[in-house]
Amino acid sequence: MTAGSGPQEVTDREASGTGSANYTGAVYGSLLAASVVAGAGSAGPYPRLELVLLLICTGLVFWAAHVYAGFVGDRLRGGRVTWHEIRQVCVREWPIVQAALLPAAAVAVSPLLGLGPEGAAWLALVIAIAQQVAWAGAAVIRVGASRWAVVSVGIVNLVLGLVIVAAKVALQH
């Protein structure tokens, strides 16, 4: 909400994250990436490469699952799906994959920062959580939410990320 204006109407596209940026997919994908990093072990011969591939592959699998689920839902409502609609759904859900790319890149460049595999995983986890909080904040700012709403959304997303951090610490492998 801007100064001097009334509540801004949220369109169905904005609420569902299907406007010009899919904030829902970006937040979800960031949370997914954080979960992957927290759950990944570093026992293999190439732990960094394995984590990069795990992040990207998991993002792609969840993206495909979301695309498929969207079409199943459309079929339940009836009607035919066109190639244009398929492309739209694929593009709309792509931020799920994009959210995995920055944590994966952090793992890939971690040797340049002098980090071992465990440090690389923590860096990726911090980046995934930070982007999750940032995307959630951007979403509520975009729809004109109050400062309190922006702060609240940031806190909720930070807490979700910290739950993942706590799980990683508790289940250290």
Side-chain angles (χ1 to χ4, degrees):
M1 174 176 314
T2 57
S5 69
Q8 194 174 10
E9 184 177 316
V10 179
T11 67
D12 288 340
R13 286 172 49 97
E14 289 169 329
S16 67
T18 59
S20 62
N22 182 353
Y23 296 103
T24 303
V27 170
Y28 176 82
S30 297
L31 189 58
L32 175 64
S35 299
V36 166
V37 172
S42 58
Y46 303 103
R48 284 186 185 90
L49 178 60
E50 291 167 7
L51 184 53
V52 167
L53 293 174
L54 185 59
L55 280 162
I56 293 170
C57 289
T58 303
L60 286 168
V61 167
F62 274 75
W63 167 76
H66 275 249
V67 169
Y68 176 73
F71 291 122
V72 169
D74 287 345
R75 292 312 88 219
L76 292 175
R77 287 188 297 273
R80 293 191 55 185
V81 174
T82 66
W83 282 110
H84 177 73
E85 290 169 325
I86 292 171
R87 184 181 180 288
Q88 284 182 318
V89 172
C90 289
V91 168
R92 181 182 70 222
E93 298 298 337
W94 192 246
I96 293 171
V97 176
Q98 289 174 314
L101 298 180
L102 193 54
V107 172
V109 302
S110 65
L112 301 175
L113 302 172
L115 297 174
E118 187 65 24
W122 279 106
L123 176 62
L125 183 56
V126 167
I127 287 173
I129 293 168
Q131 72 180 9
Q132 173 192 338
V133 171
W135 280 116
V140 294
I141 289 169
R142 180 171 183 225
V143 297
S146 68
R147 285 185 186 152
W148 173 244
V150 173
V151 169
S152 297
V153 164
I155 290 170
V156 167
N157 278 276
L158 182 57
V159 167
L160 289 171
L162 292 176
V163 167
I164 294 171
V165 168
K168 179 171 177 48
V169 169
L171 304 171
Q172 200 68 300
H173 32 135

